[in-house]
Amino acid sequence: MFYRIFALDVRRSLLGRWKRFSVALLFFVLVTFACKISFSNAYLQSPELTPFATPTLGDFLLYAFGGCDLYIFDLDRPFAIPFQWLLLILLAIYINFDLTEESSAGVNVQLLLRAGDKKQYWLSKILCITISTSLYFVLGVIVTLGCGSALGGVSSLEIDNLILNVMNLSSMVPREATGPAFIPTLLMVWFAILTITLLQQLISLFIKPIGSFLVMAVFLFLSAYFMKPFFFGNYAMMIRNALLCEGGVDAAEGILILSLVSLASIAGGCVVYDRKDILSKGES
């Protein structure tokens, strides 16, 4: 019975949302071009560097998934909003932010009665959201690498020092040996994005999906300005990770926090969804 429920959710979450995935992939294409243009301008403004130098594939990935510098509240420093990073996470949420409500409203009552356990519906949605979020992340990496290669990116995960200027980094300084830490740091971004989407689904059981979407948007906005463990949006930024940059958040602590929040979202959703009256929605 679970497989029938899961098949319906896959149809809704993946096949039925191809337009949302298309918008997300367009975002990564535009970000890659923006990275190339920013690097070109930075090189042109540096007389000691050749204007024909190109960024590495690591630079392209860091530009797309890196996040933003730690903001230091200073009257002499202009206030900046990390729109690109916010859009990166919000697009991942947007793909399936209303899946739970949509599925509940269109649920097959007979299928639910035969299942005899509403937890199966919640777990099916969790599995679909995990798959779609992972697909969003993997496709984003592939598009970024593909476009970066097409734009002449060097096949290396080493980070060019010019990334400090391109991404306006001053507080977060990449470590010298960035290659070995690059993949684990990138995977941490995936885990953080997944945790954020799971938490949004739990919140959507209490308020409307659009409300839970706005709650997470505010949470992410605050995460950009406060590098505290409970603002775990920091773990969705490569340049905030101590493995990659000096003074960053602890990776081991991040794995623990993200794991606890993910498990709490799944378990909490099971309890809430099991008590939720979705039969009346299905009949309507």
Side-chain angles (χ1 to χ4, degrees):
M1 187 58 60
F2 176 80
Y3 298 106
R4 293 185 61 185
I5 298 171
F6 179 64
L8 289 175
D9 282 334
V10 167
R11 197 177 308 163
R12 292 189 181 101
S13 64
L14 297 180
L15 301 180
R17 284 172 163 77
W18 64 270
K19 291 183 179 179
R20 298 186 185 185
F21 274 103
S22 299
V23 172
L25 295 182
L26 178 61
F27 164 78
F28 286 105
V29 172
L30 295 177
V31 165
T32 307
F33 274 93
C35 178
K36 175 64 176 180
I37 293 172
S38 298
F39 262 85
S40 298
N41 291 337
Y43 275 114
L44 289 174
Q45 294 171 7
S46 302
E48 70 277 6
L49 299 174
T50 168
F52 299 105
T54 57
T56 66
L57 295 182
D59 292 329
F60 281 111
L61 287 174
L62 187 65
Y63 188 87
F65 297 94
C68 62
D69 194 26
L70 176 62
Y71 186 82
I72 299 176
F73 294 92
D74 189 343
L75 295 178
D76 296 329
R77 181 174 181 173
F79 183 74
I81 300 176
F83 289 107
Q84 178 183 310
W85 176 76
L86 287 172
L87 191 56
L88 168 72
I89 313 299
L90 292 177
L91 278 173
I93 301 175
Y94 170 68
I95 290 175
N96 282 311
F97 83 103
D98 56 349
L99 176 64
T100 301
E101 183 181 67
E102 178 186 279
S103 298
S104 298
V107 69
N108 185 302
V109 178
Q110 295 301 319
L111 188 61
L112 177 58
L113 291 174
R114 288 178 60 187
D117 186 2
K118 286 183 286 187
K119 296 186 183 70
Q120 293 187 31
Y121 272 81
W122 173 252
L123 294 176
S124 173
K125 284 152 193 62
I126 291 298
L127 184 55
C128 283
I129 289 168
T130 300
I131 293 174
S132 62
T133 303
S134 301
L135 183 61
Y136 165 80
F137 179 81
V138 170
L139 290 177
V141 171
I142 292 174
V143 170
T144 303
L145 291 175
C147 292
S149 297
L151 293 174
V154 179
S155 298
S156 171
L157 293 181
E158 295 297 324
I159 298 175
D160 193 306
N161 288 331
L162 200 61
I163 195 73
L164 296 172
N165 297 330
V166 173
M167 299 182 67
N168 297 316
L169 299 179
S170 58
S171 302
M172 311 306 300
V173 181
R175 298 183 184 277
E176 291 296 329
T178 57
F182 200 92
I183 299 301
T185 307
L186 188 61
L187 290 176
M188 179 74 82
V189 174
W190 163 78
F191 192 19
I193 294 175
L194 177 59
T195 301
I196 291 168
T197 57
L198 293 178
L199 180 58
Q200 182 272 327
Q201 285 297 307
L202 175 62
I203 297 174
S204 70
L205 296 180
F206 299 94
I207 58 179
K208 289 290 184 180
I210 187 63
S212 63
F213 184 86
L214 294 175
V215 168
M216 296 311 300
V218 172
F219 174 77
L220 291 170
F221 179 81
L222 294 175
S223 295
Y225 300 101
F226 300 97
M227 200 165 68
K228 303 294 183 181
F230 49 85
F231 284 124
F232 53 85
N234 281 280
Y235 301 112
M237 303 187 195
M238 293 183 68
I239 60 175
R240 296 276 179 98
N241 196 312
L243 293 175
L244 197 69
C245 292
E246 299 176 4
V249 291
D250 183 72
E253 182 181 60
I255 293 175
L256 176 61
I257 292 175
L258 295 175
S259 298
L260 291 176
V261 174
S262 296
L263 292 174
S265 299
I266 296 172
C270 280
V271 175
V272 175
Y273 206 71
D274 190 48
R275 299 177 179 178
K276 197 175 182 66
D277 180 17
I278 61 176
L279 286 175
S280 59
K281 293 183 179 181
E283 291 170 343
S284 61

